[in-house]
Amino acid sequence: MAKNEPAETDIPRTRGSGTQSVYTILRREILAMTLAPGSPLDEVRLSERFGMSRTPIREALLRLSADGLVTTLPNRNTIVATIDFASLPPYFDALTLMYRVTTRGAAMRATPQAMGEIRKRQAEFAAAVAAHDAFAMIEANREFHVAIAELAGNAYYTTFFARLLDEGRRILRLYYRTFDDRLPRQYVDEHEEMIAAIEARDVERSDRLAIKHAEQIVRQIQDYIARDLGQPIDLAAS
Amino acid sequence: MAKNEPAETDIPRTRGSGTQSVYTILRREILAMTLAPGSPLDEVRLSERFGMSRTPIREALLRLSADGLVTTLPNRNTIVATIDFASLPPYFDALTLMYRVTTRGAAMRATPQAMGEIRKRQAEFAAAVAAHDAFAMIEANREFHVAIAELAGNAYYTTFFARLLDEGRRILRLYYRTFDDRLPRQYVDEHEEMIAAIEARDVERSDRLAIKHAEQIVRQIQDYIARDLGQPIDLAAS
DNA sequence: GGGCTGTTTCCTGTCGACAATATGTGCAAT
DNA sequence: ATTGCACATATTGTCGACAGGAAACAGCCC
């Protein structure tokens, strides 16, 4: 790499935006798996890349650490948090629960104008599926469910759910490399059913759909993992 | 205040412990309401108090901010997060849900030796109630429920629940100033029932007890708030 | 007397430098 | 060949200093 790389931004950023922009960019890269789990994040190298001092970098890393996206090894470097497949079952439990709770809550508080935001997200999701754009699909799916959570009106649920969905984005990113598009279309239909149930303020039906939707996703990812782990291992290679 | 105050620690702390200790101390003081909600936290003053540079202070404040315990006003000071009484109903919903989920989970995975930790916490709680020590009571109650959550074995639930319980400590701190001790004794009994149900691996009974326990606490705090808000306002005073 | 404007002051956001610690490397001894 | 130790290196944790913004204050105009 040439020295005097012009850094990411040449415009002299406004005061206070340094940490924020680094946080946003790194977060996006981690969630999109551009930065592989386990990658070392060197403060000096990052400060050179972003053209700023180590201080804002450190603060951004600290925030990422609080989000659980990076792991800080004391007196050593910080690395992108690894994906622990052993913790997947608890993850699925938590995800399913939050699907249910937020969908139920939304069904209890549904108002016509609040449905607009949800429909908008659903339209974006459908468009991403049609375009076979895995990245946009994952993004839109998250926004769709967060919109439902916001309608449910419980900030504690929304925050926790958003965090779970973000963590899931990295797993989905692994998964959708091999996705066959029959299933995403099914998700679109399921989303439509959920919208209808919420709008009808049918709490129990919303709940059942949330369970079904969650089961669908969980089974999907488990199948993927099983397929992946099932690859024959070449014992002669060692 | 005299200048050259000897600071909180005279021993030259080990590398890396600065942020940690400041975080721990401030966190305790915020949760114990020693630092009132809305109190300004001045970085310079804190650095003088703890006898270290502003850098570790800043990092500690950043971590507290991620925990939602302080609010950072850009380019201005950071303040201890205020308690928003309007968000209490969502809070109670979330708390009840986590009581249920963790208790159910514990009942599903109960093992004899795991019950030891829970019993130990329960003993501490009972001792605090007997001693009329409100602070120790709140602390032990939190540890009791976190121990149950850990037995449930879902790290996502444990983290979220612990955060909710911490936030609740500040509310309880308001409440237990006026506590009459009949009710804490009832909590001790309810805890005992929960332990028995978990140990018997009776999931449904554990669930019912968790609901009952949560309802008890919620009603309690709501009564307190109603009583407080019900104070006659002296209109002539203005 | 009240409202607007320029100034002052305080505090934060950012910077570059130094010190401490963990890892990797080379050498010697068993 | 492997283990142990000393050294070198790389990267973090901490520090003091400077600059930029926002609130507080004073002065001026109406």
Side-chain angles (χ1 to χ4, degrees):
Chain A
M1 226 183 282
K3 55 176 64 174
N4 280 358
E5 195 80 15
E8 200 111 327
T9 65
D10 283 345
I11 49 172
R13 65 194 183 286
T14 68
R15 177 187 179 85
S17 76
T19 299
Q20 181 63 35
S21 62
V22 173
Y23 171 78
T24 306
I25 293 173
L26 285 184
R27 173 195 161 83
R28 191 187 343 259
E29 291 184 356
I30 291 172
L31 292 179
M33 300 273 278
T34 308
L35 289 170
S39 306
L41 293 175
D42 188 309
E43 293 179 5
V44 178
R45 219 160 300 169
L46 288 174
S47 73
E48 287 168 0
R49 170 182 164 191
F50 290 106
M52 62 183 71
S53 165
R54 271 178 54 217
T55 309
I57 306 287
R58 268 182 83 79
E59 304 203 345
L61 289 180
L62 217 60
R63 285 176 57 182
L64 290 170
S65 171
D67 289 346
L69 294 177
V70 303
T71 307
T72 303
L73 310 177
N75 278 322
R76 243 175 310 165
N77 55 6
T78 73
I79 61 173
V80 178
T82 56
I83 297 176
D84 179 12
F85 284 86
S87 71
L88 276 182
Y91 174 78
F92 290 141
D93 283 349
L95 190 68
T96 303
L97 181 67
M98 295 317 292
Y99 267 118
R100 296 183 58 190
V101 171
T102 54
T103 310
R104 287 182 68 103
M108 287 191 276
R109 307 179 82 236
T111 61
Q113 77 269 22
M115 300 306 296
E117 174 75 9
I118 295 176
R119 280 191 205 287
K120 198 174 108 193
R121 300 302 179 185
Q122 164 68 350
E124 289 168 6
F125 180 69
V129 170
H132 288 68
D133 183 344
F135 184 76
M137 200 161 84
I138 294 169
E139 189 99 359
N141 181 64
R142 176 197 187 274
E143 297 305 327
F144 173 74
H145 286 291
V146 168
I148 291 178
E150 270 169 6
L151 172 55
N154 187 319
Y156 298 96
Y157 291 158
T158 306
T159 306
F160 182 46
F161 193 24
R163 187 169 162 166
L164 285 178
L165 287 168
D166 279 336
E167 190 151 342
R169 277 162 76 176
R170 300 207 299 165
I171 299 168
L172 288 176
R173 193 79 196 141
L174 283 173
Y175 166 63
Y176 278 119
R177 278 178 189 154
T178 62
F179 88 105
D180 93 81
D181 69 351
R182 183 181 61 78
L183 296 155
R185 281 175 211 286
Q186 180 172 356
Y187 291 153
V188 175
D189 294 339
E190 288 184 3
H191 281 184
E192 292 291 351
E193 291 182 75
M194 290 169 77
I195 291 175
I198 291 170
E199 193 160 29
R201 308 189 72 150
D202 186 335
V203 175
E204 293 309 320
R205 183 152 62 97
S206 300
D207 194 8
R208 282 195 304 275
L209 289 171
I211 294 173
K212 195 175 115 192
H213 193 55
E215 276 174 356
Q216 200 68 249
I217 293 170
V218 169
R219 191 176 321 127
Q220 199 93 8
I221 298 176
Q222 280 173 339
D223 282 354
Y224 160 69
I225 293 170
R227 203 187 321 148
D228 203 46
L229 296 179
Q231 297 285 353
I233 302 168
D234 185 1
L235 292 174
S238 68
Chain B
M1 229 183 277
K3 57 175 65 174
N4 279 0
E5 194 81 14
E8 201 113 325
T9 66
D10 284 343
I11 49 173
R13 66 195 183 284
T14 68
R15 178 186 178 85
S17 77
T19 299
Q20 181 63 34
S21 62
V22 173
Y23 170 79
T24 306
I25 293 173
L26 285 184
R27 173 195 162 83
R28 194 191 337 262
E29 291 183 356
I30 291 172
L31 292 179
M33 300 272 278
T34 307
L35 289 171
S39 306
L41 293 175
D42 187 309
E43 293 179 4
V44 179
R45 218 159 302 169
L46 287 175
S47 74
E48 288 169 358
R49 170 181 165 191
F50 289 105
M52 62 182 72
S53 166
R54 271 178 53 218
T55 308
I57 306 288
R58 268 182 83 79
E59 304 203 345
L61 290 179
L62 217 62
R63 284 176 58 182
L64 290 170
S65 171
D67 290 346
L69 293 177
V70 303
T71 307
T72 303
L73 311 178
N75 277 323
R76 244 176 311 163
N77 55 5
T78 74
I79 61 173
V80 178
T82 56
I83 298 177
D84 179 12
F85 284 85
S87 71
L88 276 182
Y91 174 78
F92 290 141
D93 282 350
L95 190 69
T96 303
L97 181 68
M98 295 318 292
Y99 267 118
R100 295 183 59 189
V101 172
T102 54
T103 311
R104 286 182 70 103
M108 286 192 277
R109 309 179 81 236
T111 61
Q113 75 270 21
M115 299 307 295
E117 174 75 9
I118 295 176
R119 280 190 205 287
K120 199 175 106 193
R121 300 303 179 186
Q122 163 69 352
E124 288 168 8
F125 180 69
V129 170
H132 288 69
D133 184 344
F135 183 75
M137 202 161 83
I138 294 169
E139 189 98 0
N141 181 65
R142 176 198 188 273
E143 297 304 328
F144 173 74
H145 286 291
V146 168
I148 291 177
E150 271 169 6
L151 172 55
N154 187 318
Y156 298 97
Y157 290 159
T158 306
T159 307
F160 182 47
F161 193 24
R163 187 168 163 167
L164 286 178
L165 287 169
D166 279 336
E167 189 151 342
R169 276 161 79 175
R170 300 208 298 166
I171 299 169
L172 289 175
R173 193 79 196 140
L174 284 173
Y175 165 65
Y176 278 119
R177 280 178 188 154
T178 62
F179 88 105
D180 92 80
D181 69 351
R182 184 180 61 78
L183 296 156
R185 279 173 213 286
Q186 181 172 357
Y187 290 153
V188 175
D189 293 340
E190 288 183 1
H191 281 185
E192 292 292 351
E193 291 183 74
M194 291 170 77
I195 291 175
I198 291 170
E199 193 160 30
R201 309 191 70 152
D202 186 336
V203 175
E204 292 309 320
R205 182 151 63 97
S206 300
D207 194 8
R208 283 197 303 276
L209 289 171
I211 294 173
K212 195 175 115 191
H213 193 54
E215 278 175 354
Q216 200 70 249
I217 294 170
V218 169
R219 190 175 324 128
Q220 199 93 11
I221 297 177
Q222 281 173 339
D223 284 353
Y224 159 69
I225 293 170
R227 203 186 321 148
D228 203 46
L229 296 180
Q231 297 284 353
I233 303 168
D234 185 1
L235 291 174
S238 69

